[in-house]
């Protein structure tokens, strides 16, 4: 391999600070960059895992990898070389963010539906997506965009589209490619929040009661690297069944139907869903009415939709008299829901998702009608439950490597911590991890009852107190 020229060598040997290399295509930028990585690792002792190389396309990322192998040999595979979007996707997933990517045809359909919803005809699909993409790539938020185009008729309409587009994506836990960059920028540029208090628990389902009390008392909090209880997928699906049952002839009922129509799997394709929406729109009716009247040519779909309507029709008819906890129990049985979410022939009661819907049913038991319960679950305000400066709620596992001045470890019960299935020494180590997160004050707590039956205090409390 030919040696680097003087300018390439200068760029490859640069060490401290920021270096920008500006050069024409074919002038050896990629090779210079790979030689620079080689020098960092071999000459300066930088761990390959601490080096990040980013580019715009997959082909360019693969080219970087092939150029790095002659420089670093086996160590080349330990360097992260990626496209910008793949890297941002990895960062957000590593932070525990739950989302799916919205792109291509799905993004076009998504935006087209928003334009229809807002009844906007003077802004084309391409213009809407292009302007929003341009704004996000310039780090312009919805509010900033609105201020920027105040008094501009088209700009104001695009502001409405931008706002609705982001709200709808958030509801459905979707991010487009521009969001990946924008969200990581916000993550990297924000200063770490100062958290004075953390509440730790062994399993995710234990967060429900804490979230409910904090929400009721307007105490700001956030779930560290996780999702709030009523937003967890297995919980949200059952809530959407309730929303559809109590109010099928509404926009909320339409959204709920699109969530539950294929849960459990009824082999409903995107095309069928699109056809259903189009059928409803042309007739000015809501989706459940459309489902009952739309001809279905595919035999297996016709069979599944018939069973779906057979389940829901009597429940919808009697929805005003239904008890939400009993209805959740009925749905769990009729849908074989526990087996579906746990992916086990015989679902274990210790499965985290099963425990979550047990908690949902327990929460619902306090309400006499479905609507009141749904209003309660909808009352968890975003500003209260996603305040990064507020109390941090997290599992013990998520707390590793973190410390807080004040820590509450809750739910220390026999059967939970230590768990029924866990090795006692491993469970003791987990309890130690929880306790060692506290810098100044540590509170250990347990309840006298659990799921309506007397509970036994964890052995680890006595061990920590030196009484056993």
């Amino acid at each position: 391999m030919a040696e680097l020229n003087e300018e390439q060598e200068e760029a490859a040997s640069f060490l401290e600070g920021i270096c920008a290399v500006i050069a024409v295509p074919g002038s050896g930028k990629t090779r210079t960059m790979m030689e620079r990585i080689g020098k960092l690792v071999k000459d300066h002792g930088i761990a390959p895992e601490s080096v990040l190389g980013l580019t715009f396309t997959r082909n360019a990322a693969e080219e970087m990898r092939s150029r790095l192998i002659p420089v670093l040999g086996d160590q080349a595979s330990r360097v992260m070389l990626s496209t910008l979007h793949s890297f941002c996707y990895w960062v957000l997933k590593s932070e525990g963010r739950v989302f799916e990517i919205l792109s291509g045809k799905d993004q076009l359909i998504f935006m087209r539906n928003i334009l229809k919803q807002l009844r906007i005809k003077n802004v084309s699909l391409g213009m809407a997506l292009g302007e929003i993409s341009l704004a996000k790539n310039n780090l312009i938020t919805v509010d900033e965009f609105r201020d920027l185009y105040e008094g501009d008729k088209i700009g104001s309409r695009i502001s409405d589209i931008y706002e609705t587009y982001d709200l709808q994506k958030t509801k459905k836990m979707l991010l487009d490619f521009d969001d990946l960059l924008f969200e990581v920028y916000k993550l990297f540029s924000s200063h770490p929040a100062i958290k004075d208090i953390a509440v730790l628990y062994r399993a995710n389902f234990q967060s429900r009661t804490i979230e409910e009390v904090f929400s009721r008392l307007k105490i700001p909090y956030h779930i560290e690297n996780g999702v709030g209880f009523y937003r967890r997928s297995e919980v949200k699906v059952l809530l959407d069944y309730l929303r559809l049952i109590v109010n099928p002839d509404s926009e909320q009922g339409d959204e709920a139907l699109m969530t539950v129509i294929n849960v459990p799997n009824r082999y409903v394709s995107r095309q069928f869903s699109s056809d259903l929406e189009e059928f409803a729109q042309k007739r000015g009716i809501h989706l459940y009415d459309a489902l009952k009247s739309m001809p279905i040519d595919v035999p297996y779909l016709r069979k599944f939709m018939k069973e779906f309507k057979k389940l829901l029709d009597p429940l919808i008819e009697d929805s005003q008299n239904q008890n939400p906890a009993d209805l959740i129990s009925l749905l769990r049985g009729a849908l074989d829901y526990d087996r579906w979410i746990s992916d086990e022939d015989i679902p274990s009661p210790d499965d985290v998702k099963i425990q979550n819907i047990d908690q949902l049913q327990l929460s619902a038991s306090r309400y006499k009608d479905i609507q009141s319960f749904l209003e309660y679950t909808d009352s968890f305000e975003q500003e209260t439950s996603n305040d990064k400066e507020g109390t941090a709620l997290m599992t013990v596992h998520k707390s590793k490597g973190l410390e807080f001045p004040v820590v509450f470890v809750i739910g220390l019960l026999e059967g939970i911590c230590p768990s029924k299935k866990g090795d006692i020494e491993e469970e003791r180590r987990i309890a130690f991890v929880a306790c060692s997160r506290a810098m100044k004050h540590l509170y250990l707590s347990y309840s006298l009852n659990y799921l309506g039956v007397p509970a036994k205090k964890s052995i680890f409390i006595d061990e920590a107190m030196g009484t056993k």
Side-chain angles (χ1 to χ4, degrees):
M1 183 181 292
E3 293 185 2
L4 301 179
N5 63 35
E6 186 177 342
E7 289 79 9
Q8 290 171 334
E9 183 66 39
E10 183 181 2
S13 302
F14 183 87
L15 188 60
E16 301 289 343
I18 299 171
C19 176
V21 176
I22 302 169
V24 299
S27 57
K29 293 188 299 296
T30 301
R31 186 189 162 204
T32 300
M33 183 178 175
M34 297 305 101
E35 290 290 343
R36 173 169 163 71
I37 291 174
K39 288 176 181 289
L40 289 172
V41 173
K42 294 189 291 187
D43 299 347
H44 301 286
I46 304 297
E49 293 82 1
S50 298
V51 179
L52 172 65
L54 297 177
T55 186
F56 290 100
T57 68
R58 288 182 182 176
N59 286 342
E62 290 170 4
E63 179 66 17
M64 285 198 302
R65 177 76 62 196
S66 68
R67 297 282 191 93
L68 188 59
I69 290 172
V71 177
L72 277 183
D74 292 341
Q75 293 187 92
S77 62
R78 294 162 57 189
V79 175
M80 177 175 277
L81 301 174
S82 172
T83 65
L84 280 165
H85 292 102
S86 294
F87 172 69
C88 291
Y89 179 91
W90 174 83
V91 168
L92 294 174
K93 287 293 184 180
S94 298
E95 285 293 305
R97 293 281 296 274
V98 179
F99 64 89
E100 292 183 5
I101 294 295
L102 179 66
S103 65
K105 185 180 178 182
D106 289 340
Q107 187 181 25
L108 295 175
I109 293 170
F110 193 87
M111 179 57 80
R112 185 181 65 196
N113 290 337
I114 287 171
L115 295 178
K116 287 179 182 176
Q117 178 188 332
L118 297 177
R119 297 180 180 177
I120 293 176
K121 296 181 179 178
N122 60 341
V123 177
S124 70
L125 194 64
M127 179 189 288
L129 286 170
E131 289 298 317
I132 293 171
S133 177
L134 185 63
K136 288 191 175 179
N137 278 283
N138 283 281
L139 307 176
I140 298 172
T141 64
V142 172
D143 291 337
E144 291 167 339
F145 191 94
R146 196 178 295 281
D147 291 342
L148 194 63
Y149 287 96
E150 187 177 3
D152 183 299
K153 189 175 179 181
I154 297 294
S156 295
R157 295 306 277 150
I158 295 174
S159 299
D160 295 334
I161 297 167
Y162 188 173
E163 182 175 22
T164 305
Y165 179 63
D166 272 8
L167 286 172
Q168 293 287 349
K169 283 193 281 101
T170 300
K171 270 187 185 179
K172 299 177 186 297
M173 293 189 287
L174 298 170
L175 294 178
D176 62 26
F177 286 127
D178 296 315
D179 292 325
L180 294 177
L181 307 183
F182 204 172
E183 291 299 311
V184 170
Y185 167 79
K186 289 191 290 185
L187 180 67
F188 285 176
S189 61
S190 63
H191 297 290
I194 299 170
K195 306 181 197 80
D196 294 326
I197 301 174
V199 178
L200 309 183
Y201 34 83
R202 180 70 174 85
N204 270 315
F205 73 89
Q206 293 174 278
S207 75
R208 180 186 65 84
T209 51
I210 302 298
E211 288 185 65
E212 289 182 343
V213 172
F214 278 23
S215 182
R216 187 172 71 246
L217 298 178
K218 304 299 180 187
I219 298 173
Y221 72 93
H222 68 277
I223 306 289
E224 185 77 13
N225 292 340
V227 180
F229 179 82
Y230 291 107
R231 298 188 188 97
R232 290 168 192 163
S233 59
E234 64 274 12
V235 170
K236 188 177 179 299
V237 164
L238 286 175
L239 290 176
D240 276 329
Y241 265 105
L242 265 58
R243 290 187 183 99
L244 175 59
I245 288 166
V246 79
N247 203 358
D249 298 322
S250 67
E251 287 188 5
Q252 191 181 47
D254 290 345
E255 283 187 14
L257 185 140
M258 296 310 288
T259 299
V260 306
I261 195 170
N262 209 30
V263 180
N265 192 1
R266 299 183 178 94
Y267 304 98
V268 174
S269 65
R270 289 178 181 173
Q271 183 61 53
F272 179 84
S273 298
S274 180
D275 290 345
L276 180 63
E277 288 179 318
E278 186 176 345
F279 185 90
Q281 188 176 14
K282 284 182 178 178
R283 286 156 183 79
I285 58 178
H286 288 284
L287 293 181
Y288 192 70
D289 277 344
L291 185 65
K292 292 195 287 186
S293 56
M294 185 178 82
I296 302 174
D297 296 326
V298 182
Y300 72 85
L301 270 180
R302 189 164 58 244
K303 172 179 176 292
F304 281 126
M305 291 305 100
K306 183 179 179 181
E307 292 172 354
F308 184 61
K309 291 178 287 186
K310 185 178 178 181
L311 168 66
L312 292 180
D313 280 346
L315 298 178
I316 290 171
E317 188 174 340
D318 196 39
S319 63
Q320 300 308 312
N321 302 316
Q322 291 275 3
N323 173 291
D326 292 341
L327 182 53
I328 290 170
S329 178
L330 186 153
L331 288 169
R332 288 174 72 172
L335 299 170
D336 205 6
Y337 192 66
D338 291 24
R339 188 164 67 171
W340 187 77
I341 61 172
S342 65
D343 200 24
E344 297 286 347
D345 287 336
I346 303 175
S348 166
D350 295 324
D351 184 279
V352 172
K353 292 184 178 181
I354 302 294
Q355 290 173 328
N356 278 337
I357 58 174
D358 284 343
Q359 288 292 318
L360 176 68
Q361 197 167 325
L362 192 63
S363 178
S365 67
R366 296 174 298 176
Y367 294 85
K368 293 182 179 179
D369 64 273
I370 302 169
Q371 191 59 46
S372 297
F373 177 56
L374 288 175
E375 287 172 2
Y376 172 71
T377 62
D378 290 339
S379 70
F380 284 76
E381 298 293 337
Q382 186 70 16
E383 60 265 27
T384 303
S385 62
N386 196 30
D387 189 333
K388 294 297 183 183
E389 296 292 330
T391 301
L393 275 56
M394 69 190 84
T395 60
V396 177
H397 177 73
K398 294 283 177 65
S399 74
K400 290 179 181 178
L402 302 176
E403 287 185 321
F404 306 89
V406 181
V407 169
F408 290 82
V409 184
I410 66 167
L412 287 171
L413 299 173
E414 290 292 318
I416 295 180
C417 186
S419 73
K420 294 175 184 175
K421 299 188 296 183
D423 172 76
I424 189 65
E425 288 304 320
E426 175 63 11
E427 292 296 305
R428 185 173 282 112
R429 185 191 67 79
I430 290 169
F432 174 78
V433 168
C435 295
S436 61
R437 300 308 91 198
M439 298 165 67
K440 294 181 179 179
H441 302 287
L442 172 66
Y443 298 85
L444 307 179
S445 75
Y446 68 99
S447 59
L448 298 177
N449 293 283
Y450 174 63
L451 294 178
V453 298
K456 185 180 178 183
K457 177 177 63 173
S458 169
I459 188 177
F460 298 147
I461 293 181
D462 289 331
E463 289 181 358
M465 301 299 292
T467 56
K468 188 159 186 172

